[in-house]
Amino acid sequence: MGADTTRSERGRGPTLRTRLTLVYTGVFALGGVLLLGANYLVASASLRDRGVSLAMTIETVAREDGSPYPSEPAQPAWPLDSWAETQEKAGVAEPAALLVDGYQDGVLSDMLVNSVLALVAITLLAAAAGWLIAGRPMRRLHRVTETARTLSEHDLHSRLGLTGPDDEFRELGDTFDAMLSRLERAFDSQRRFVANASHELRTPLAVQRAALEVPLAQDRVPDDLRPAFRRALDSVGRSESLISGLLLLARSDRGLARTEEVDLAGIVRDTAARHEADAREAGVDLRVDTEAAAVAGDAVLLEHLVRNLVENAVRHNTSGGWVEARLRTAHGRTVVKVTNTGAEIADPDALFEPFHRGDAARLRGARPGSGLGLSIVRSIATAHGATVVARARPGGGLVVTVGFPVP
């Protein structure tokens, strides 16, 4: 079993709150048992010492009533056993001794039973009190756990801001907040670097494209060099596409500066219309099924999201296959679903990673595209508060579903 084994795989044990409650209850119960035992011993010794006095009183009353007890004067308080032996040697019946023994046993029995019942009741109250006492610090710990579980690179601005006593839990929360601040600064720096680097690279690429296209357009390139010029121009085009994708990814990762109501159905229809020619050329049947729907967001980013979905579905397909783009609103969500035929996909979730094309290859080879399509889709969906899920289609292909909240 590896180090990354999850709690569910290990089996869920008692919570810390439960363990603390059990400790509180166990300590209280043990103390109660010791106190009960000491109380029992003290009461037993006291009854045995004072039992003789009770017996002597009974004897005196019996003599005054004419009972056949010896006429000796009453003795000092003896141990009960010695007094009983004296009565037995004198040949006198022992009703007083028996009465004292019964009295002692009855008192001790009542005390023991009542004490045990009281101990059980108080132990249950102690368990409930321990549960409540342990709950307050555990709530702060649960807050740390929930924040860590839901955290992602897109909401590093979240902070715990724990309140309460200045204890270990408060120190843990402050340390966690400080870690989030460092991570937020690191991710922001990375995004700014990607955006700035991508922007700066566009100018030299534009110069390279012009340097290659102008000689080709003026027919000033020797025939034996034309293939090399074409390959260089194609390489520049791929680099520009990659840089455009990185800029779009950096922009969507920053979130939305403002939102407006966007006709998502119109975007789906227009995008499908622009890709009909590419679909026919690839031998792919492109189908569209939409209903009226609007979402709150950025129209440009939403257009890029739908375009990437449709482009990927047409590009990663087979001749004679099909692509279906559907738009529906149900259960408080506006859902865009793009389904396509194609090759078998073992791990659909890996397609959302940058530069991943469904296999181990990162180089272009015969496969077009920059490998950023679904990464951009996920980033734009997250910026709009939407969820995106990809699953393999039985028989080959992919089903990508994006669910937007209804404005």
Side-chain angles (χ1 to χ4, degrees):
M1 187 172 294
D4 58 346
T5 303
T6 62
R7 181 187 178 99
S8 60
E9 292 171 341
R10 293 194 306 266
R12 186 177 181 86
T15 62
L16 179 58
R17 185 179 186 181
T18 301
R19 293 199 298 269
L20 287 175
T21 302
L22 292 177
V23 170
Y24 298 154
T25 306
V27 171
F28 180 85
L30 179 60
V33 169
L34 294 177
L35 180 61
L36 178 61
N39 188 32
Y40 184 88
L41 293 176
V42 171
S44 177
S46 178
L47 285 172
R48 291 178 66 83
D49 291 341
R50 298 179 182 276
V52 173
S53 297
L54 176 62
M56 290 301 135
T57 302
I58 294 173
E59 179 186 354
T60 301
V61 173
R63 279 203 307 270
E64 291 175 354
D65 293 341
S67 301
Y69 280 89
S71 58
E72 303 95 300
Q75 303 295 323
W78 302 332
L80 183 59
D81 292 341
S82 301
W83 181 85
E85 291 174 2
T86 302
Q87 298 301 310
E88 185 178 357
K89 290 177 181 178
V92 181
E94 302 178 355
L98 294 175
L99 182 59
V100 170
D101 288 340
Y103 167 74
Q104 176 179 326
D105 293 342
V107 170
L108 291 176
S109 177
D110 291 342
M111 186 199 72
L112 182 61
V113 171
N114 293 330
S115 298
V116 168
L117 292 177
L119 178 62
V120 171
I122 296 175
T123 300
L124 293 177
L125 291 176
W131 178 263
L132 295 176
I133 293 172
R136 184 176 181 182
M138 288 302 101
R139 282 194 295 270
R140 294 194 290 167
L141 183 60
H142 290 159
R143 187 173 172 185
V144 176
T145 304
E146 290 300 323
T147 302
R149 181 179 295 121
T150 59
L151 196 65
S152 73
E153 62 182 271
H154 302 287
D155 54 4
L156 291 175
H157 59 277
S158 302
R159 296 293 182 272
L160 294 173
L162 289 183
T163 58
D166 189 10
D167 54 10
E168 289 82 356
F169 291 106
R170 178 76 172 273
E171 183 180 3
L172 174 62
D174 293 343
T175 303
F176 193 81
D177 285 343
M179 181 193 68
L180 291 180
S181 297
R182 292 193 299 271
L183 287 175
E184 184 178 21
R185 288 194 297 269
F187 274 96
D188 285 343
S189 176
Q190 182 187 39
R191 293 186 185 113
R192 286 195 300 270
F193 171 78
V194 171
N196 293 335
S198 300
H199 181 74
E200 293 297 327
L201 286 173
R202 299 182 76 173
T203 300
L205 285 175
V207 172
Q208 293 177 27
R209 172 178 289 278
L212 293 170
E213 287 181 340
V214 170
L216 285 172
Q218 295 178 351
D219 199 19
R220 291 190 290 121
V221 179
D223 292 340
D224 57 336
L225 293 180
R226 282 183 176 274
F229 269 61
R230 295 292 183 187
R231 287 193 299 270
L233 191 59
D234 187 49
S235 177
V236 170
R238 292 198 303 272
S239 297
E240 289 176 335
S241 176
L242 175 60
I243 289 174
S244 297
L246 289 173
L247 282 172
L248 181 59
L249 190 60
R251 175 186 172 185
S252 58
D253 280 344
R254 287 195 300 268
L256 303 179
R258 61 182 182 85
T259 61
E260 59 182 352
E261 186 173 295
V262 180
D263 179 15
L264 192 58
I267 290 178
V268 173
R269 290 192 297 268
D270 293 343
T271 301
R274 285 196 297 269
H275 287 81
E276 282 183 354
D278 295 334
R280 284 195 301 270
E281 183 179 350
V284 174
D285 181 22
L286 178 57
R287 314 164 189 167
V288 180
D289 183 9
T290 65
E291 62 181 25
V295 298
D298 186 298
V300 176
L301 291 180
L302 290 174
E303 183 178 350
H304 279 291
L305 181 146
V306 176
R307 188 190 69 188
N308 281 331
L309 288 176
V310 175
E311 278 186 357
N312 280 353
V314 172
R315 180 179 297 154
H316 302 283
N317 214 311
T318 56
S319 180
W322 52 268
V323 174
E324 182 181 61
R326 292 171 57 91
L327 176 63
R328 291 288 185 272
T329 299
H331 307 294
R333 307 285 285 179
T334 298
V335 179
V336 177
K337 179 186 290 187
V338 177
T339 308
N340 69 291
T341 55
E344 294 281 352
I345 298 175
D347 187 6
D349 291 335
L351 297 176
F352 290 105
E353 297 299 323
F355 308 109
H356 198 292
R357 298 182 177 85
D359 52 26
R362 286 187 57 175
L363 299 178
R364 178 175 184 273
R367 187 170 294 222
S370 62
L372 293 173
L374 289 183
S375 299
I376 294 173
V377 167
R378 181 176 62 180
S379 179
I380 295 175
T382 302
H384 285 78
T387 58
V388 55
V389 179
R391 61 180 178 85
R393 177 181 169 276
L398 190 67
V399 180
V400 182
T401 304
V402 184
F404 295 89
V406 174

Short mmCIF file of all heavy atoms in Angstrom, two decimals, residues 298-327:
data_model
loop_
_atom_site.label_atom_id
_atom_site.label_comp_id
_atom_site.label_asym_id
_atom_site.label_seq_id
_atom_site.Cartn_x
_atom_site.Cartn_y
_atom_site.Cartn_z
N ASP A 298 -18.37 35.99 -19.83
CA ASP A 298 -17.62 36.74 -20.82
C ASP A 298 -17.87 36.10 -22.18
O ASP A 298 -17.54 34.93 -22.39
CB ASP A 298 -16.13 36.71 -20.47
CG ASP A 298 -15.31 37.59 -21.39
OD1 ASP A 298 -15.29 37.32 -22.60
OD2 ASP A 298 -14.64 38.52 -20.89
N ALA A 299 -18.43 36.86 -23.11
CA ALA A 299 -18.81 36.30 -24.41
C ALA A 299 -17.60 35.76 -25.18
O ALA A 299 -17.68 34.71 -25.82
CB ALA A 299 -19.55 37.35 -25.23
N VAL A 300 -16.47 36.48 -25.13
CA VAL A 300 -15.28 36.05 -25.87
C VAL A 300 -14.77 34.72 -25.33
O VAL A 300 -14.46 33.79 -26.08
CB VAL A 300 -14.20 37.14 -25.82
CG1 VAL A 300 -12.93 36.64 -26.50
CG2 VAL A 300 -14.69 38.41 -26.48
N LEU A 301 -14.67 34.61 -24.00
CA LEU A 301 -14.18 33.37 -23.41
C LEU A 301 -15.13 32.21 -23.66
O LEU A 301 -14.70 31.08 -23.94
CB LEU A 301 -13.97 33.56 -21.90
CG LEU A 301 -12.83 34.49 -21.48
CD1 LEU A 301 -12.76 34.58 -19.96
CD2 LEU A 301 -11.49 33.97 -22.02
N LEU A 302 -16.43 32.47 -23.58
CA LEU A 302 -17.40 31.40 -23.84
C LEU A 302 -17.32 30.93 -25.29
O LEU A 302 -17.49 29.74 -25.59
CB LEU A 302 -18.81 31.88 -23.50
CG LEU A 302 -19.10 32.07 -22.01
CD1 LEU A 302 -20.47 32.70 -21.81
CD2 LEU A 302 -19.01 30.73 -21.28
N GLU A 303 -17.07 31.86 -26.20
CA GLU A 303 -16.90 31.47 -27.61
C GLU A 303 -15.67 30.58 -27.78
O GLU A 303 -15.70 29.58 -28.52
CB GLU A 303 -16.79 32.71 -28.48
CG GLU A 303 -16.69 32.40 -29.97
CD GLU A 303 -16.62 33.66 -30.81
OE1 GLU A 303 -16.82 34.76 -30.25
OE2 GLU A 303 -16.34 33.54 -32.02
N HIS A 304 -14.58 30.92 -27.08
CA HIS A 304 -13.39 30.07 -27.14
C HIS A 304 -13.68 28.69 -26.55
O HIS A 304 -13.19 27.67 -27.06
CB HIS A 304 -12.24 30.73 -26.37
CG HIS A 304 -11.53 31.78 -27.16
ND1 HIS A 304 -10.74 31.49 -28.25
CD2 HIS A 304 -11.48 33.13 -27.00
CE1 HIS A 304 -10.23 32.61 -28.74
NE2 HIS A 304 -10.67 33.63 -28.00
N LEU A 305 -14.46 28.64 -25.48
CA LEU A 305 -14.78 27.34 -24.86
C LEU A 305 -15.51 26.44 -25.85
O LEU A 305 -15.13 25.28 -26.06
CB LEU A 305 -15.64 27.58 -23.61
CG LEU A 305 -16.05 26.35 -22.81
CD1 LEU A 305 -16.10 26.68 -21.32
CD2 LEU A 305 -17.44 25.85 -23.24
N VAL A 306 -16.58 26.96 -26.46
CA VAL A 306 -17.36 26.14 -27.40
C VAL A 306 -16.52 25.80 -28.62
O VAL A 306 -16.55 24.67 -29.13
CB VAL A 306 -18.65 26.88 -27.79
CG1 VAL A 306 -19.42 26.07 -28.84
CG2 VAL A 306 -19.52 27.13 -26.56
N ARG A 307 -15.72 26.75 -29.11
CA ARG A 307 -14.90 26.49 -30.30
C ARG A 307 -13.89 25.37 -30.03
O ARG A 307 -13.70 24.49 -30.87
CB ARG A 307 -14.16 27.76 -30.71
CG ARG A 307 -13.43 27.62 -32.05
CD ARG A 307 -12.54 28.79 -32.30
NE ARG A 307 -11.41 28.81 -31.38
CZ ARG A 307 -10.54 29.81 -31.28
NH1 ARG A 307 -10.71 30.90 -32.00
NH2 ARG A 307 -9.54 29.73 -30.44
N ASN A 308 -13.26 25.39 -28.87
CA ASN A 308 -12.29 24.34 -28.55
C ASN A 308 -12.95 22.98 -28.45
O ASN A 308 -12.39 21.97 -28.89
CB ASN A 308 -11.58 24.67 -27.23
CG ASN A 308 -10.47 25.69 -27.42
OD1 ASN A 308 -9.87 25.77 -28.48
ND2 ASN A 308 -10.22 26.49 -26.40
N LEU A 309 -14.16 22.94 -27.87
CA LEU A 309 -14.87 21.67 -27.78
C LEU A 309 -15.19 21.11 -29.17
O LEU A 309 -14.97 19.92 -29.45
CB LEU A 309 -16.16 21.85 -26.97
CG LEU A 309 -16.01 22.05 -25.46
CD1 LEU A 309 -17.37 22.31 -24.83
CD2 LEU A 309 -15.36 20.83 -24.82
N VAL A 310 -15.72 21.97 -30.04
CA VAL A 310 -16.10 21.51 -31.38
C VAL A 310 -14.87 21.17 -32.21
O VAL A 310 -14.83 20.15 -32.92
CB VAL A 310 -16.98 22.57 -32.08
CG1 VAL A 310 -17.28 22.16 -33.52
CG2 VAL A 310 -18.28 22.78 -31.30
N GLU A 311 -13.83 22.01 -32.15
CA GLU A 311 -12.59 21.74 -32.90
C GLU A 311 -11.98 20.41 -32.49
O GLU A 311 -11.58 19.60 -33.34
CB GLU A 311 -11.59 22.87 -32.68
CG GLU A 311 -11.81 24.08 -33.56
CD GLU A 311 -10.69 25.09 -33.39
OE1 GLU A 311 -9.81 24.86 -32.54
OE2 GLU A 311 -10.72 26.13 -34.09
N ASN A 312 -11.88 20.16 -31.20
CA ASN A 312 -11.32 18.89 -30.73
C ASN A 312 -12.16 17.71 -31.20
O ASN A 312 -11.63 16.67 -31.58
CB ASN A 312 -11.23 18.88 -29.20
CG ASN A 312 -10.03 19.63 -28.68
OD1 ASN A 312 -9.18 20.05 -29.46
ND2 ASN A 312 -9.95 19.81 -27.38
N ALA A 313 -13.50 17.88 -31.12
CA ALA A 313 -14.37 16.78 -31.51
C ALA A 313 -14.24 16.45 -33.00
O ALA A 313 -14.28 15.28 -33.40
CB ALA A 313 -15.82 17.13 -31.18
N VAL A 314 -14.05 17.48 -33.84
CA VAL A 314 -13.88 17.24 -35.29
C VAL A 314 -12.48 16.73 -35.58
O VAL A 314 -12.30 15.80 -36.38
CB VAL A 314 -14.17 18.54 -36.06
CG1 VAL A 314 -13.81 18.37 -37.54
CG2 VAL A 314 -15.63 18.95 -35.92
N ARG A 315 -11.48 17.31 -34.93
CA ARG A 315 -10.09 16.98 -35.22
C ARG A 315 -9.74 15.56 -34.78
O ARG A 315 -9.11 14.81 -35.52
CB ARG A 315 -9.18 18.00 -34.54
CG ARG A 315 -7.70 17.77 -34.75
CD ARG A 315 -6.92 18.86 -34.05
NE ARG A 315 -7.22 20.17 -34.64
CZ ARG A 315 -7.11 21.32 -34.00
NH1 ARG A 315 -6.73 21.33 -32.73
NH2 ARG A 315 -7.36 22.46 -34.61
N HIS A 316 -10.18 15.18 -33.58
CA HIS A 316 -9.84 13.86 -33.05
C HIS A 316 -11.00 12.91 -33.31
O HIS A 316 -11.68 12.45 -32.40
CB HIS A 316 -9.53 13.94 -31.55
CG HIS A 316 -8.42 14.90 -31.24
ND1 HIS A 316 -7.09 14.59 -31.44
CD2 HIS A 316 -8.44 16.17 -30.75
CE1 HIS A 316 -6.34 15.62 -31.07
NE2 HIS A 316 -7.13 16.59 -30.66
N ASN A 317 -11.20 12.63 -34.58
CA ASN A 317 -12.32 11.80 -35.00
C ASN A 317 -11.84 10.83 -36.07
O ASN A 317 -10.65 10.79 -36.41
CB ASN A 317 -13.46 12.69 -35.53
CG ASN A 317 -14.84 12.13 -35.22
OD1 ASN A 317 -15.10 10.96 -35.45
ND2 ASN A 317 -15.71 12.98 -34.68
N THR A 318 -12.75 10.07 -36.61
CA THR A 318 -12.43 9.13 -37.68
C THR A 318 -13.31 9.45 -38.89
O THR A 318 -14.41 9.99 -38.75
CB THR A 318 -12.69 7.68 -37.23
OG1 THR A 318 -14.05 7.55 -36.79
CG2 THR A 318 -11.76 7.30 -36.08
N SER A 319 -12.81 9.12 -40.06
CA SER A 319 -13.58 9.35 -41.28
C SER A 319 -14.87 8.53 -41.22
O SER A 319 -14.85 7.34 -40.91
CB SER A 319 -12.75 8.95 -42.50
OG SER A 319 -13.48 9.18 -43.69
N GLY A 320 -15.98 9.19 -41.50
CA GLY A 320 -17.27 8.53 -41.39
C GLY A 320 -17.89 8.64 -40.01
O GLY A 320 -18.98 8.12 -39.78
N GLY A 321 -17.20 9.35 -39.11
CA GLY A 321 -17.72 9.52 -37.76
C GLY A 321 -18.67 10.69 -37.67
O GLY A 321 -19.10 11.26 -38.68
N TRP A 322 -19.00 11.08 -36.45
CA TRP A 322 -19.93 12.18 -36.25
C TRP A 322 -19.60 12.95 -34.98
O TRP A 322 -18.89 12.47 -34.09
CB TRP A 322 -21.38 11.69 -36.19
CG TRP A 322 -21.61 10.57 -35.20
CD1 TRP A 322 -21.56 9.24 -35.46
CD2 TRP A 322 -21.89 10.71 -33.81
NE1 TRP A 322 -21.80 8.52 -34.32
CE2 TRP A 322 -22.02 9.40 -33.29
CE3 TRP A 322 -22.06 11.79 -32.96
CZ2 TRP A 322 -22.30 9.17 -31.94
CZ3 TRP A 322 -22.34 11.56 -31.62
CH2 TRP A 322 -22.46 10.27 -31.12
N VAL A 323 -20.13 14.18 -34.92
CA VAL A 323 -20.02 15.06 -33.76
C VAL A 323 -21.40 15.63 -33.47
O VAL A 323 -22.10 16.05 -34.39
CB VAL A 323 -19.01 16.21 -34.00
CG1 VAL A 323 -19.04 17.19 -32.82
CG2 VAL A 323 -17.61 15.68 -34.22
N GLU A 324 -21.78 15.62 -32.20
CA GLU A 324 -23.07 16.19 -31.81
C GLU A 324 -22.85 17.21 -30.70
O GLU A 324 -22.26 16.89 -29.67
CB GLU A 324 -24.03 15.10 -31.33
CG GLU A 324 -25.40 15.67 -30.97
CD GLU A 324 -26.36 14.59 -30.48
OE1 GLU A 324 -26.03 13.96 -29.45
OE2 GLU A 324 -27.41 14.40 -31.11
N ALA A 325 -23.34 18.45 -30.93
CA ALA A 325 -23.28 19.51 -29.93
C ALA A 325 -24.69 19.79 -29.45
O ALA A 325 -25.56 20.19 -30.24
CB ALA A 325 -22.65 20.77 -30.51
N ARG A 326 -24.94 19.58 -28.17
CA ARG A 326 -26.28 19.75 -27.59
C ARG A 326 -26.24 20.83 -26.51
O ARG A 326 -25.25 20.97 -25.79
CB ARG A 326 -26.78 18.44 -26.98
CG ARG A 326 -27.07 17.35 -27.99
CD ARG A 326 -27.36 16.03 -27.28
NE ARG A 326 -28.45 16.15 -26.34
CZ ARG A 326 -29.74 15.93 -26.63
NH1 ARG A 326 -30.08 15.58 -27.86
NH2 ARG A 326 -30.67 16.06 -25.71
N LEU A 327 -27.34 21.56 -26.38
CA LEU A 327 -27.47 22.59 -25.34
C LEU A 327 -28.86 22.45 -24.71
O LEU A 327 -29.87 22.52 -25.41
CB LEU A 327 -27.30 23.99 -25.93
CG LEU A 327 -27.53 25.16 -24.96
CD1 LEU A 327 -26.50 25.12 -23.83
CD2 LEU A 327 -27.47 26.49 -25.69
#
